[in-house]
Amino acid sequence: MPTLREALQHIVDRHAALRTVFPEQNGAAVALCRDRVELELPLIELGRAEATDTDTELAERLQQEALRPFDLSQELLLRASLFRLREHEHALLLVIHHIVADGWSLTVLCRELQALYDGRLKGESAEPAPLPIQY
């Protein structure tokens, strides 16, 4: 789990949009990019009880988390949760507010996450090329 958290944190550190909040000033929302924001990655255990249907429980938890509103004025607009289904089986949920991501940027995020995570697992530096611009 530390490897995944490090890879996700690297992405948050790399992309200013993911560190941006939108507080209200003089009656209007303004974009404010924070220098550093710690990404939380809670590990949520599923299926501990014998009678629990892990797939149903996961679907319910995913829906709950996806529907939880963001506080645009203060909260990181990317939430991550890692669900442990079985000892060596996990599901990662990333919830990103549409104000800081679109379909194209989600593709970039997934590609970078995979490269950073795989590189860290292999003990290699998988640093993406520097960003030519920020959102």
Side-chain angles (χ1 to χ4, degrees):
M1 185 167 126
T3 304
L4 178 58
R5 196 203 155 296
E6 289 172 11
L8 284 166
Q9 184 65 55
H10 185 94
I11 289 170
V12 169
D13 292 343
R14 177 175 161 75
H15 295 277
L18 298 177
R19 298 186 317 278
T20 301
V21 293
F22 298 87
E24 185 179 320
Q25 292 180 356
N26 300 322
V30 296
L32 176 64
C33 182
R34 295 180 175 170
D35 291 331
R36 175 82 174 150
V37 179
E38 287 293 322
L39 176 74
E40 296 180 19
L41 181 60
L43 177 62
I44 302 161
E45 301 281 345
L46 298 183
R48 289 295 189 198
E50 290 293 325
T52 300
D53 176 0
T54 305
D55 290 340
T56 301
E57 184 182 2
L58 177 62
E60 290 170 0
R61 296 295 295 270
L62 293 175
Q63 184 175 18
Q64 287 172 357
E65 197 57 27
L67 294 175
R68 187 164 56 95
F70 286 94
D71 178 351
L72 299 177
S73 67
Q74 298 179 36
E75 185 180 0
L76 186 66
L77 300 180
L78 165 67
R79 283 196 298 255
S81 301
L82 187 62
F83 296 89
R84 185 189 319 255
L85 308 174
R86 288 169 221 28
E87 184 178 356
H88 297 290
E89 186 177 349
H90 297 79
L92 173 65
L93 172 67
L94 298 176
V95 180
I96 304 173
H97 195 283
H98 64 88
I99 201 169
V100 295
D102 60 13
W104 180 82
S105 57
L106 292 177
T107 301
V108 172
L109 185 146
C110 290
R111 185 176 56 242
E112 287 184 7
L113 178 58
Q114 182 175 1
L116 289 163
Y117 182 72
D118 289 346
R120 281 171 166 73
L121 285 178
K122 295 174 185 172
E124 301 170 355
S125 175
E127 295 296 316
L131 294 172
I133 60 171
Q134 289 283 344
Y135 172 77

